[in-house]
Amino acid sequence: MEQQQQPAIMVQSQYIKDMSMEIPHAPAIFKKMRQHNPQVNVEVNVEAQKLDEDKTFSVLLNIRINGDIEQEKAFILELSYGAVVTLNIPEEHREPVLMIEIPHMLFPFARQIVSTTITNAGLPPLLINPIDFMAMFNAKKAREGNGQKAN
């Protein structure tokens, strides 16, 4: 009897863990937005943790977007978008998959949520540029390596 091969990555569920949208100076800020585009700052980070089962993990894609007009806060959007995944891969490959591949899979969904929320809030459309999760991972590893050398 032939044993069925398990997929390397199985996404069990995707979910919004936390989300908030603030426009602290509404409605007055909308008048300024007609005259000036907001300066937008996007921060992204990734978290991964092992769940109860041996091969099951939680991965969170955290996005924080600040929009400012003339040193005044136009809006703040925070989104934690997650997935529960099962990995059938060797342990030495898990960290890159959790920190690069899974966020890459989650990003289009989180990007759509951000875009829809911003538009529904009455703000100008915003589409987050693609993110190089490999560069983020490599930069984190470099910082960790420098921290270990300093100790």
Side-chain angles (χ1 to χ4, degrees), residues 34-94:
R34 283 187 291 238
Q35 299 162 350
H36 306 282
N37 286 326
Q39 292 295 114
V40 177
N41 179 43
V42 179
E43 298 171 27
V44 177
N45 72 56
V46 178
E47 298 174 36
Q49 69 178 25
K50 194 172 201 174
L51 298 178
D52 294 334
E53 298 175 36
D54 183 42
K55 298 178 180 181
T56 304
F57 298 83
S58 169
V59 178
L60 280 178
L61 181 57
N62 298 305
I63 300 172
R64 180 181 170 91
I65 303 173
N66 286 292
D68 297 301
I69 296 178
E70 300 175 337
Q71 289 77 42
E72 187 173 27
K73 188 61 63 191
F75 67 90
I76 305 162
L77 185 144
E78 294 176 337
L79 172 65
S80 289
Y81 190 75
V84 174
V85 298
T86 301
L87 301 181
N88 294 304
I89 59 175
E91 185 145 355
E92 64 269 15
H93 299 298
R94 287 183 183 168

Side-chain angles (χ1 to χ4, degrees), residues 118-139:
I118 292 281
T119 303
N120 288 345
L123 299 167
L126 175 69
L127 192 59
I128 303 172
N129 288 327
I131 296 169
D132 187 344
F133 292 104
M134 182 177 286
M136 282 178 57
F137 177 72
N138 290 336

Side-chain angles (χ1 to χ4, degrees), residues 103-113:
H104 183 75
M105 292 167 62
L106 294 177
F107 180 72
F109 299 98
R111 181 179 179 178
Q112 180 63 42
I113 292 166

Side-chain angles (χ1 to χ4, degrees), residues 3-55:
Q3 190 174 14
Q4 189 174 2
Q5 182 73 17
Q6 293 288 324
I9 301 171
M10 292 188 309
V11 178
Q12 305 298 331
S13 61
Q14 290 181 217
Y15 58 93
I16 295 173
K17 181 173 182 177
D18 190 25
M19 184 171 155
S20 70
M21 175 74 201
E22 296 178 52
I23 306 175
H25 301 288
I29 197 74
F30 293 116
K31 183 177 180 183
K32 283 187 177 183
M33 278 194 226
R34 283 187 291 238
Q35 299 162 350
H36 306 282
N37 286 326
Q39 292 295 114
V40 177
N41 179 43
V42 179
E43 298 171 27
V44 177
N45 72 56
V46 178
E47 298 174 36
Q49 69 178 25
K50 194 172 201 174
L51 298 178
D52 294 334
E53 298 175 36
D54 183 42
K55 298 178 180 181

